Amino acid sequence: MSRIAFGTWQLGGDWGSFDEDAAIAAIHHARELGVTFFDTAQAYGFGKSEAMLGKALREELKRDRDNLVIATKGGIKPRSERPRDSRREWLAQGIEDSLRYLDVDHIDLYQIHWPDSDAPAEETAGILQEFVDAGKIRHVGVSNYDAAGLADFDRTRPVETLQPPYHLFRRDLETDPLPYARENDIGVLVYSPLGSGLLTGAFTPETTFEKTDWRSRSSAFTGETFRRNLAIVDRLKEFAAGKGISVSQLAIAWTLARPGVHVAIVGARKAANIEASLAAADVDLSADELAEIDRLTADAVPVSGASPEGVA
């Protein structure tokens, strides 16, 4: 797989309005540049994102299916009475719906989007294994799990991949569950390496977001937390400029330099944006540079993101 995956959360309606044709062009351009891994989810517009990805890749999926890795996620129902739902009925329906929206006969990697404490891990793992046995799923992963959750799942069938949030303003992954993933040979595909836009260098303290953009309701994108972290982004911009790269490339390269991280999932709505992200995979950071980045971000305010229950 390519070390940069094309993520599609931004195509599901939670990030404000966008041009669908431009988004499909971005997916096409990512393929032209060598991206082979695409990540989506049932909850990204309840099929909207999956359908758009399937539409963009339809001809290639029919012509050369095995050269593409399509990952999706299920097991949640945001804005419902039970936002996390890995019970058999909803999970099975989600897998069948994802196959239909993507217009494929199998999903390369199916992931449980968020842990569901009311659904025993052995049952969830067992359901996914049934779909593997049926040939509808090839590999099984989880997203947003901690080490204890991974261990519970592992007792029934191995977790092959973990998809956690990870960026310079959110580093709790380093203590749990990244060590467990390294010790148990679990592939780590991190999402939000750009801090949901914080690390793009495109924002100022005056930046606001559309009401349909989840960031408009997040404490990470308003007030003192926003201002303090943007000041740190300015420091990182200066450091990145000294290497001849952008701050977004620095942020992605930093993520990929962390031991145990295999893939960074980066979204784009415009073709030009994906080029810069892909170039970040070729940026080398020395031990001294990594230490300097730690120093520059030492007083960052840790931030969280959206969850099935809402936005912090």
Side-chain angles (χ1 to χ4, degrees):
M1 299 190 304
S2 51
R3 290 206 77 196
I4 301 294
F6 191 103
T8 61
W9 183 14
Q10 76 282 4
L11 309 182
D14 291 322
W15 295 74
S17 58
F18 66 96
D19 184 317
E20 182 174 329
D21 290 338
I24 289 175
I27 295 170
H28 289 163
H29 195 46
R31 276 299 299 128
E32 292 167 357
L33 295 172
V35 173
T36 58
F37 181 27
F38 295 83
D39 180 77
T40 185
Q42 175 191 22
Y44 299 166
F46 287 99
K48 182 178 180 180
S49 173
E50 291 175 321
M52 196 177 305
L53 181 62
K55 177 182 177 181
L57 297 176
R58 184 152 299 141
E59 293 306 313
E60 189 165 3
L61 285 168
K62 291 178 179 179
R63 183 179 67 250
D64 201 10
R65 177 68 181 88
D66 288 340
N67 274 343
L68 293 177
V69 178
I70 305 296
T72 192
K73 301 178 285 293
I76 65 171
K77 289 189 286 189
R79 296 176 291 279
S80 72
E81 290 185 2
R82 181 168 173 160
R84 305 183 189 213
D85 192 347
S86 293
R87 291 174 295 183
R88 174 176 292 275
E89 182 178 3
W90 181 247
L91 196 54
Q93 179 185 327
I95 293 170
E96 296 292 353
D97 286 347
S98 291
L99 288 165
R100 178 167 52 86
Y101 282 122
L102 287 162
D103 193 19
V104 295
D105 62 3
H106 71 272
I107 294 164
D108 298 289
L109 173 63
Y110 196 85
Q111 305 152 99
I112 300 299
H113 206 151
W114 285 81
D116 177 4
S117 60
D118 294 324
E122 61 270 20
E123 291 184 15
T124 302
I127 295 166
L128 293 181
Q129 185 59 47
E130 291 174 17
F131 278 91
V132 172
D133 294 340
K136 294 184 177 183
I137 295 173
R138 288 193 172 172
H139 301 279
V140 169
V142 298
S143 182
N144 299 297
Y145 273 52
D146 60 15
L150 291 172
D152 286 344
F153 202 100
D154 265 338
R155 279 190 274 272
T156 299
R157 67 99 64 211
V159 176
E160 297 175 75
T161 64
L162 168 68
Q163 186 179 144
Y166 189 41
H167 53 78
L168 281 162
F169 298 136
R170 187 168 187 177
R171 300 183 59 170
D172 49 339
L173 168 73
E174 293 168 5
T175 54
D176 182 359
L178 190 55
Y180 182 95
R182 286 199 301 262
E183 292 164 9
N184 291 274
D185 196 27
I186 295 172
V188 176
L189 329 166
V190 300
Y191 71 85
S192 293
L194 295 176
S196 301
L198 274 173
L199 288 155
T200 62
F203 299 156
T204 71
E206 290 71 43
T207 298
T208 58
F209 302 90
E210 294 181 35
K211 289 183 178 180
T212 53
D213 188 322
W214 69 270
R215 292 172 295 185
S216 68
R217 304 181 300 280
S218 171
S219 60
F221 294 90
T222 57
E224 184 61 20
T225 296
F226 194 38
R227 287 190 292 272
R228 282 182 57 182
N229 284 342
L230 287 181
I232 291 172
V233 174
D234 286 339
R235 297 178 209 161
L236 293 169
K237 275 185 185 179
E238 186 175 347
F239 179 81
K243 286 184 63 67
I245 60 175
S246 68
V247 68
S248 62
Q249 289 172 322
L250 180 70
I252 295 169
W254 176 87
T255 302
L256 291 173
R258 312 309 289 180
V261 173
H262 302 95
V263 172
I265 302 172
V266 183
R269 288 178 173 175
K270 297 179 181 178
N273 294 344
I274 196 64
E275 291 187 23
S277 296
L278 286 172
D282 297 322
V283 174
D284 291 322
L285 295 172
S286 68
D288 287 344
E289 288 172 326
L290 291 169
E292 178 63 9
I293 292 170
D294 283 345
R295 188 189 69 79
L296 292 171
T297 58
D299 57 344
V301 182
V303 301
S304 59
S307 73
E309 290 77 30
V311 179

